[in-house]
Amino acid sequence: VLRNAVHVEEAEVEKCVRDVMKEKKIEQQDTGFKKNLHISLLQISGYKKLYLNVENLRKVPYDSENEEHEEQLIELWNLLMPHENLKARITKQWCDIGFQGDDPKTDFRGMGLLGLVNLVYFSKHYTDEARQILSRSNHPKLGYSYAIVGINLTEMAYSLLKNGALKSHLYNVVSGLPQLEHFHQFYCYLVYEFDKFWFEEEPESIMHFNQYREKFHEKIKGLLLDCNVILTLQN
């Protein structure tokens, strides 16, 4: 009964709670147990559903023929560079916010639309921080490619969700169904903390990025081992 209960839809959770209590001969009047089991089942089934939603977004390739995709890309530029207009859709200006070439669509290959959605979310909800980090990423000695690193951190957030490492964090953040918003919030935390980490570590050059990325990854995995962990930025 319990094994089946962690796979049910939200509407069926209440029935599963009653079934488990009946199976285990727990009094139905035990409201404390009933409430806790209800929340737990929502969180467990919700985690699985959240992963599927994130995975579906990752599987969508960036399509320059798709108007919605293009609008999000332009929105990213406008959020980060409000005083500078794009001279064309394909332009070297994209390098100013950390893309590799003159058409960002090629940089989204690994993480698909998820990479863009994350970048836009951070820039929209933490605009001042995003512009500040973009400015810091242009440091003459310690600089890095803002957008490329952002997409790299999307991959990190995705892999932590996929292997279950985000469970304690998400269970502590929301007493119910975790939403896509909660994944985006964790991503924002990663972007902000990675920038701090990078400048504290003072790497010799960007050529050592993978080494420091792995060190940061290990640090985050260590924090996520704490069953009381909550890793979010405060607005």
Side-chain angles (χ1 to χ4, degrees):
V1 172
L2 188 54
R3 198 174 292 124
N4 291 335
V6 299
H7 300 287
V8 298
E9 293 296 316
E10 186 178 0
E12 299 169 309
V13 168
E14 191 63 47
K15 179 184 180 301
C16 288
V17 169
R18 288 198 302 270
D19 289 347
V20 169
M21 292 178 77
K22 183 180 175 185
E23 188 76 24
K24 288 299 190 181
K25 299 181 173 56
I26 297 164
E27 290 292 329
Q28 295 289 337
Q29 288 75 29
D30 189 342
T31 53
F33 180 86
K34 187 182 287 187
K35 182 185 174 187
N36 288 336
L37 181 58
H38 190 274
I39 289 171
S40 298
L41 290 178
L42 278 180
Q43 289 178 323
I44 294 166
S45 60
Y47 191 95
K48 296 169 192 286
K49 192 177 289 183
L50 174 61
Y51 168 68
L52 290 175
N53 290 339
V54 169
E55 175 68 357
N56 287 336
L57 205 49
R58 187 189 73 84
K59 283 180 180 173
V60 177
Y62 184 89
D63 180 6
S64 52
E65 300 297 314
N66 185 310
E67 202 174 309
E68 282 183 24
H69 294 189
E70 287 286 288
E71 282 173 4
Q72 286 191 71
L73 185 58
I74 301 302
E75 183 181 13
L76 177 64
W77 175 270
N78 291 334
L79 284 164
L80 293 173
M81 305 289 276
H83 306 302
E84 191 175 329
N85 291 327
L86 272 176
K87 295 181 174 67
R89 165 59 181 80
I90 295 178
T91 168
K92 289 288 181 197
Q93 284 177 285
W94 289 113
C95 297
D96 295 344
I97 60 172
F99 287 103
Q100 284 181 323
D102 54 7
D103 189 350
K105 77 172 186 181
T106 57
D107 293 326
F108 292 118
R109 280 183 192 141
M111 286 291 110
L113 200 58
L114 182 64
L116 176 57
V117 169
N118 274 167
L119 283 168
V120 171
Y121 185 95
F122 180 58
S123 302
K124 186 186 283 187
H125 291 83
Y126 300 95
T127 309
D128 291 343
E129 290 85 349
R131 289 175 187 168
Q132 184 184 356
I133 290 172
L134 174 62
S135 175
R136 280 159 61 88
S137 75
N138 290 317
H139 189 282
K141 184 174 182 293
L142 298 173
Y144 58 85
S145 299
Y146 175 83
I148 295 296
V149 169
I151 294 167
N152 205 289
L153 292 171
T154 289
E155 194 280 326
M156 187 182 294
Y158 165 77
S159 67
L160 290 167
L161 178 72
K162 185 178 182 179
N163 67 22
L166 285 190
K167 282 180 180 175
S168 289
H169 161 73
L170 285 171
Y171 294 168
N172 292 331
V173 166
V174 54
S175 58
L177 287 170
Q179 306 292 333
L180 207 49
E181 170 112 0
H182 299 112
F183 176 78
H184 295 329
Q185 284 286 342
F186 175 69
Y187 168 80
C188 294
Y189 172 87
L190 288 185
V191 175
Y192 189 80
E193 290 299 319
F194 178 80
D195 179 73
K196 274 196 333 195
F197 172 83
W198 182 263
F199 279 88
E200 283 166 6
E201 292 287 326
E202 297 186 349
E204 289 175 38
S205 82
I206 193 66
M207 302 304 290
H208 296 100
F209 174 77
N210 286 341
Q211 172 191 339
Y212 285 93
R213 178 204 186 277
E214 201 45 46
K215 189 175 178 182
F216 179 70
H217 194 187
E218 291 300 318
K219 178 184 175 182
I220 297 298
K221 284 196 286 188
L223 293 174
L224 289 169
L225 292 175
D226 178 1
C227 62
N228 298 310
V229 69
I230 292 180
L231 302 181
T232 54
L233 285 180
Q234 301 303 317
N235 252 332

